[in-house]
Amino acid sequence: MLQVNNLKVEFKTSEGWIEAVKGSSFSLKKGETLGIVGESGSGKSVSSLAIMRLLPTANSRINGEIRVNGTDLLKLSEDQMRDIRGNRIAMIFQEPMTSLNPVLTCGHQVTEAIRVHLGVDQHEAKRRTIILFKEVQLPQPEAVFDSYPHQLSGGQKQRIMIAMALSCDPEILIADEPTTALDVTVQKTILELLHRLKAERNMSLVFISHDLGVITEIADHVIVMYKGEIVETATADAIFASPQHPYTRGLLACRPSPDHQLKRLPVVADFLDGPDKAGSTVDKIRALYAFKPGEIETHRRQIYSQPPILKVDQLCTWFPTGGGLFGKKKDFVKAVNNVSFEVYPGETLGLVGESGCGKSTLGRSILRLIEPTAGGISFENTDMRKLSKAALRHIRRDIQIIFQDPYSSLNPRLTVGDSLMEPLQVHQLYDNNTKRKQRVLELLERVNLPPEYFNRYPHEFSGGQRQRIVIARALALQPKFIICDESVSALDVSVQAQVLNLLRELQEEFKLTYIFISHDLSVIKHISDRVMVMNKGEIVENGDPDDIYFHPKNEYTKKLIDSIPKS
């Protein structure tokens, strides 16, 4: 179906032409799923965009052959290629919210593709779109047809993108990171949906991901890309059972495994740096980072022998949903409903649940970034709900938050240095800006970022680097307590491992206490001393990470565990 021969992709920069893909060759058979795995910058998405001929011609060069059923796509005119896209080969892009037009309804965007490619009228295009929405299992497809992208969840928007890609019945479907940042339960559903649709339509599928665990769930064959080159090719089973290249072993090892309790996660560098590491096995590296016997028990005894630093008592945060006029009863969304728990100094309390369960609202309610409806919040025996704005601003020096999306939480018009100096200026710490700048440079160094980053802007950094910047900002005021809200959810597994290791190192160094919020139970189990499972605004299970994972009592917890890729 697809044959790629010696593909080379170059981009023009201020420093000359940079090679992003360096002579890749691979093939795809009819009905086969080919997995392409690698970190951000490895060349996997660039390869897919080259196949679709969607790279900008002004500053890119593509060489080699890309053949679909014998036709070399690189020799086609743009009009000829437009007939290929959608009809023969289609693509699901990585981020559905930025791929969908926010001012057009979802139905309009899918019918447009059908009308352009198939030449049918509006009525027939709508009928086909409703059928597609049912096929991708969207709830209330007629209502979704008239909905705008912002009105749908992440998983629903991804289904819209799948429906659009399938609208012209393509022979080959390219799925570029279609499950990144989705809940594990939604991720599992999307993977099952793609697998079913591929079988029903007898399509060939190229599935791109940074996570080998996800790849092994769906792919028949896998190619591993590193710095623009293919470093390993094998069946999915062989890649998982016996990875040959050190980079592949690193990707496998850096994803948190619920079956291994480690002080720190392995990273790709553990397998690549130096000839002594190149032959390291996953088990060997994990053994190097394992806890000593009794170490976890001693640590937890020390934590729970102290009085709690935070007490949350029957906390409720409700949002009104219309009503209230002429005696009509007002309805509420009970985002947080009657939640009670305690957090102890030096503890990492993991809070896990799907999107919409209320975990982020709970974190913001504790800080009073969202005002709670009822209940109590006590931090170091201070009633947070009775504090004035001035007193609350003062206590927020001790309680910081790392937001889910580092890019949107940084001011794009401020340099990194200014963003990190701002809290020091607001709280009037240090005598002058010279001393504040020195403090900021120390923070950058502590999160493993060089001092020259001080004068750069947020858009100049990768996702992992931006996450380190917001961690540095959270540390600027020397807090005692940090709420980490989905702080690694959208990162490559390799970068995720680095950030998780950094958070643990900082906790030990600065005696920090964390509430760590995530939808991924594997991540939660790795970093947490205790785990709370949240569903529909309530805590449904609370206890030791091993007990929660291996002996769950609640059906919702069992569902979360079953959704974790088994690798």
Side-chain angles (χ1 to χ4, degrees):
M1 296 290 293
L2 173 68
Q3 181 69 49
V4 176
N5 297 319
N6 196 29
L7 177 65
K8 295 179 181 179
V9 181
E10 297 175 293
F11 291 102
K12 189 176 183 180
T13 70
S14 58
E15 299 173 358
W17 288 91
I18 301 296
E19 202 169 24
V21 180
K22 305 172 183 178
S24 295
S25 298
F26 56 88
S27 62
L28 177 69
K29 298 176 183 176
K30 189 170 182 63
E32 181 185 39
T33 299
L34 174 68
I36 305 179
V37 67
E39 298 170 284
S40 292
S42 63
K44 55 190 191 302
S45 292
V46 170
S47 297
S48 67
L49 291 170
I51 292 170
M52 294 291 292
R53 291 264 308 272
L54 290 175
L55 293 172
T57 55
N59 62 350
S60 67
R61 293 193 302 217
I62 307 173
N63 291 297
E65 287 184 333
I66 303 171
R67 294 187 175 275
V68 173
N69 289 332
T71 302
D72 189 348
L73 303 187
L74 297 182
K75 294 181 178 178
L76 299 181
S77 67
E78 182 55 35
D79 286 341
Q80 290 172 318
M81 190 62 207
R82 193 175 292 118
D83 290 334
I84 297 288
R85 291 193 207 105
N87 290 323
R88 302 276 297 279
I89 182 168
M91 187 168 179
I92 304 166
F93 294 96
Q94 182 169 351
E95 176 47 64
M97 192 63 207
T98 56
S99 302
L100 292 168
N101 191 324
V103 300
L104 297 177
T105 64
C106 296
H108 177 90
Q109 296 183 62
V110 180
T111 56
E112 181 183 35
I114 293 173
R115 292 178 67 190
V116 167
H117 283 279
L118 303 183
V120 300
D121 60 25
Q122 179 64 31
H123 183 269
E124 175 62 15
K126 180 176 181 178
R127 187 188 70 83
R128 295 190 184 196
T129 299
I130 297 294
I131 292 172
L132 283 166
F133 284 178
K134 290 177 180 176
E135 189 176 6
V136 298
Q137 299 172 345
L138 276 164
Q140 300 177 307
E142 288 82 4
V144 170
F145 185 92
D146 295 319
S147 299
Y148 289 89
H150 73 272
Q151 296 175 296
L152 305 180
S153 70
Q156 289 172 332
K157 284 194 282 281
Q158 198 59 275
R159 289 166 191 265
I160 296 291
M161 292 300 300
I162 294 171
M164 190 183 298
L166 296 175
S167 60
C168 301
D169 200 19
E171 301 166 4
I172 299 170
L173 179 63
I174 300 174
D176 185 9
E177 299 270 15
T179 61
T180 297
L182 295 180
D183 295 345
V184 286
T185 48
V186 179
Q187 172 181 274
K188 183 179 181 182
T189 305
I190 295 295
L191 291 176
E192 290 173 347
L193 174 63
L194 286 171
H195 190 74
R196 178 178 63 81
L197 292 172
K198 189 202 80 164
E200 289 176 356
R201 290 169 170 257
N202 196 26
M203 289 188 305
S204 301
L205 177 63
V206 177
F207 191 95
I208 298 169
S209 179
H210 61 254
D211 190 340
L212 262 173
V214 173
I215 285 284
T216 53
E217 293 274 306
I218 194 169
D220 301 308
H221 282 79
V222 178
I223 62 175
V224 182
M225 294 193 72
Y226 177 58
K227 293 184 177 179
E229 298 182 85
I230 295 175
V231 296
E232 188 164 355
T233 305
T235 65
D237 291 340
I239 285 278
F240 177 63
S242 182
Q244 299 301 304
H245 196 275
Y247 178 70
T248 311
R249 290 197 287 271
L251 285 181
L252 273 172
C254 61
R255 195 180 198 284
S257 171
D259 299 322
H260 299 87
Q261 195 70 31
L262 304 175
K263 284 184 185 178
R264 69 185 298 274
L265 288 169
V267 295
V268 170
D270 289 326
F271 297 83
L272 291 176
D273 291 352
D276 56 321
K277 292 186 176 182
S280 295
T281 64
V282 173
D283 289 340
K284 181 180 176 181
I285 296 292
R286 280 176 174 161
L288 190 65
Y289 297 141
F291 283 99
K292 297 175 183 176
E295 198 170 355
I296 296 174
E297 291 76 9
T298 301
H299 169 68
R300 290 180 182 168
R301 273 198 304 270
Q302 290 172 347
I303 289 173
Y304 300 122
S305 64
Q306 311 166 80
I309 189 172
L310 177 74
K311 292 182 180 179
V312 175
D313 183 35
Q314 295 183 323
L315 190 69
C316 296
T317 303
W318 296 0
F319 299 104
T321 57
L325 291 174
F326 308 112
K328 184 179 178 182
K329 186 178 178 181
K330 185 179 286 187
D331 292 325
F332 292 90
V333 173
K334 298 180 180 180
V336 178
N337 191 31
N338 201 29
V339 168
S340 300
F341 62 92
E342 297 175 339
V343 187
Y344 295 81
E347 180 184 26
T348 298
L349 175 64
L351 181 59
V352 66
E354 296 174 286
S355 295
C357 72
K359 56 191 189 297
S360 292
T361 302
L362 174 58
R364 293 177 186 224
S365 297
I366 291 169
L367 278 166
R368 280 183 58 193
L369 295 174
I370 298 173
E371 282 296 335
T373 308
I377 307 165
S378 173
F379 179 74
E380 292 189 320
N381 298 316
T382 299
D383 189 340
M384 295 270 290
R385 295 207 63 204
K386 292 182 179 179
L387 294 178
S388 65
K389 287 187 177 180
L392 185 61
R393 187 180 298 116
H394 180 77
I395 207 168
R396 280 187 182 147
R397 284 182 54 181
D398 292 328
I399 311 179
Q400 288 289 302
I401 185 168
I402 301 170
F403 292 102
Q404 181 169 353
D405 182 358
Y407 191 69
S408 62
S409 64
L410 290 168
N411 189 328
R413 296 190 296 176
L414 292 182
T415 65
V416 164
D418 289 338
S419 290
L420 296 184
M421 282 177 63
E422 188 177 39
L424 302 177
Q425 293 165 337
V426 168
H427 289 275
Q428 298 179 341
L429 299 181
Y430 304 96
D431 297 333
N432 52 56
N433 280 345
T434 302
K435 291 183 179 179
R436 291 177 187 127
K437 180 176 180 179
Q438 184 57 41
R439 169 63 177 157
V440 168
L441 292 174
E442 290 170 1
L443 288 167
L444 288 174
E445 182 182 5
R446 187 58 201 86
V447 297
N448 302 320
L449 294 174
E452 55 264 29
Y453 285 5
F454 185 93
N455 292 314
R456 294 189 185 180
Y457 289 88
H459 73 271
E460 298 180 74
F461 297 94
S462 69
Q465 289 171 327
R466 282 196 289 265
Q467 199 60 270
R468 290 172 185 271
I469 291 164
V470 296
I471 290 171
R473 185 175 60 182
L475 292 172
L477 299 176
Q478 298 178 318
K480 300 174 183 177
F481 196 112
I482 298 179
I483 297 172
C484 306
D485 185 10
E486 296 275 14
S487 52
V488 297
S489 63
L491 301 177
D492 290 351
V493 286
S494 54
V495 179
Q496 173 184 275
Q498 295 169 22
V499 172
L500 290 173
N501 290 340
L502 174 64
L503 288 171
R504 183 163 272 174
E505 289 169 15
L506 295 171
Q507 184 175 40
E508 293 175 3
E509 183 177 342
F510 298 110
K511 311 301 179 189
L512 297 171
T513 303
Y514 293 143
I515 291 180
F516 193 93
I517 299 171
S518 179
H519 61 253
D520 190 336
L521 196 48
S522 297
V523 170
I524 286 286
K525 184 181 181 298
H526 163 73
I527 201 168
S528 303
D529 298 299
R530 184 162 50 98
V531 175
M532 293 195 310
V533 183
M534 196 168 186
N535 185 29
K536 296 179 180 177
E538 299 180 355
I539 303 301
V540 297
E541 198 155 353
N542 182 1
D544 179 89
D546 283 336
D547 289 342
I548 295 285
Y549 184 80
F550 293 109
H551 309 289
K553 296 181 176 63
N554 188 273
E555 286 301 318
Y556 177 73
T557 311
K558 293 176 183 176
K559 176 185 170 187
L560 287 179
I561 293 167
D562 290 341
S563 301
I564 298 171
K566 301 299 183 282
S567 59

